[in-house]
Amino acid sequence: MNNTDRRDAEMLYMFDRDTAAQMKQARELLNTLNKADYTDYTTIRASVKALLGGSDDTTMINPPFYCDYGRNIFVGKNFFANFNCTILDVAKVTIGDNCFLAPGVGIYTAGHPIHPEIRNTGYEYGIGITIGNDVWIGAQSVICPGVHIGSGVVIGAGSVVTHDIPDMVVAAGNPCRVIRPITDEDKLYYFKKRRIDPEIEQILKG
């Protein structure tokens, strides 16, 4: 197996000329994205669509944004990533519909062996990450290799997510842990105990 095949199979692989060429293509697109005028939404959206492995016209990323390959990132409808997000997509990153990444979020599939003798050989790996629908990941949070985050989840700011998170919970901390379930009562409030006002409540009811 060549190193690209090994990488895509989530095995140990060596960064070589072929993987470097793939990364170069992504960096050229990132260069266009990250140098775009912040008000030039046409260029920003076109660059994002060309960069990611899967997205649509509802995808929006506020530059600067950073990734390894781009082609291993697949996002659903209404995806939004705020400033300074990084996705190291050595392995596949799959994100569902209606997901928000706050500023400075890091999603890292890439890793290196624990033992220094193995690590110093230059071999590395990537393990895929999946995130369900309707997820909000708070600012400066880190998602580690191999993690699955369920649907309807809120990850608190500054969290380090090292293990799977189930559906419909608020989770936070380092390491990230479930704080509480999300219930129908949460429909009444928008921030802590600040209740949604009657005007917005009527709009939401349609």
Side-chain angles (χ1 to χ4, degrees):
M1 298 174 71
N2 62 35
N3 282 300
T4 296
D5 291 337
R6 295 185 64 86
R7 180 199 64 199
D8 293 347
E10 300 188 348
M11 300 168 65
L12 288 173
Y13 77 98
M14 189 75 72
F15 188 75
D16 63 8
R17 183 176 298 178
D18 290 337
T19 53
Q22 295 163 20
M23 189 175 285
K24 183 176 183 291
Q25 293 174 357
R27 291 189 176 193
E28 289 169 351
L29 290 167
L30 286 169
N31 194 44
T32 301
L33 171 63
N34 291 333
K35 289 185 176 180
D37 188 305
Y38 279 10
T39 65
D40 186 358
Y41 298 116
T42 300
T43 296
I44 290 171
R45 288 184 185 276
S47 298
V48 168
K49 196 166 186 177
L51 178 65
L52 302 189
S55 64
D56 65 17
D57 292 336
T58 64
T59 300
M60 181 61 191
I61 295 177
N62 275 337
F65 171 75
Y66 308 98
C67 65
D68 278 333
Y69 299 99
R71 66 191 221 174
N72 291 329
I73 302 169
F74 298 84
V75 301
K77 295 177 181 178
N78 302 316
F79 173 79
F80 174 70
N82 218 323
F83 303 107
N84 279 310
C85 286
T86 300
I87 301 179
L88 299 187
D89 60 316
V90 171
K92 189 174 181 179
V93 175
T94 305
I95 302 175
D97 296 338
N98 307 310
C99 289
F100 306 152
L101 307 184
V105 167
I107 298 176
Y108 306 138
T109 69
H112 303 273
I114 293 294
H115 198 286
E117 288 185 14
I118 307 300
R119 187 168 62 248
N120 293 340
T121 63
Y123 280 104
E124 54 189 294
Y125 63 85
I127 307 295
I129 291 171
T130 59
I131 298 172
N133 298 320
D134 310 308
V135 174
W136 175 24
I137 298 177
Q140 305 297 328
S141 292
V142 171
I143 315 300
C144 294
V147 163
H148 171 79
I149 296 175
S151 293
V153 171
V154 174
I155 302 293
S159 297
V160 178
V161 187
T162 59
H163 295 89
D164 294 354
I165 303 296
D167 294 348
M168 292 297 290
V169 297
V170 176
N174 180 8
C176 188
R177 58 186 175 84
V178 173
I179 304 299
R180 67 173 180 86
I182 295 172
T183 68
D184 284 347
E185 187 177 1
D186 288 299
K187 294 178 182 179
L188 303 176
Y189 303 94
Y190 65 95
F191 178 73
K192 296 184 177 179
K193 290 302 178 182
R194 295 197 180 196
R195 193 177 177 110
I196 294 172
D197 62 86
E199 183 180 353
I200 298 299
E201 194 171 358
Q202 281 301 117
I203 293 171
L204 294 174
K205 287 179 179 178

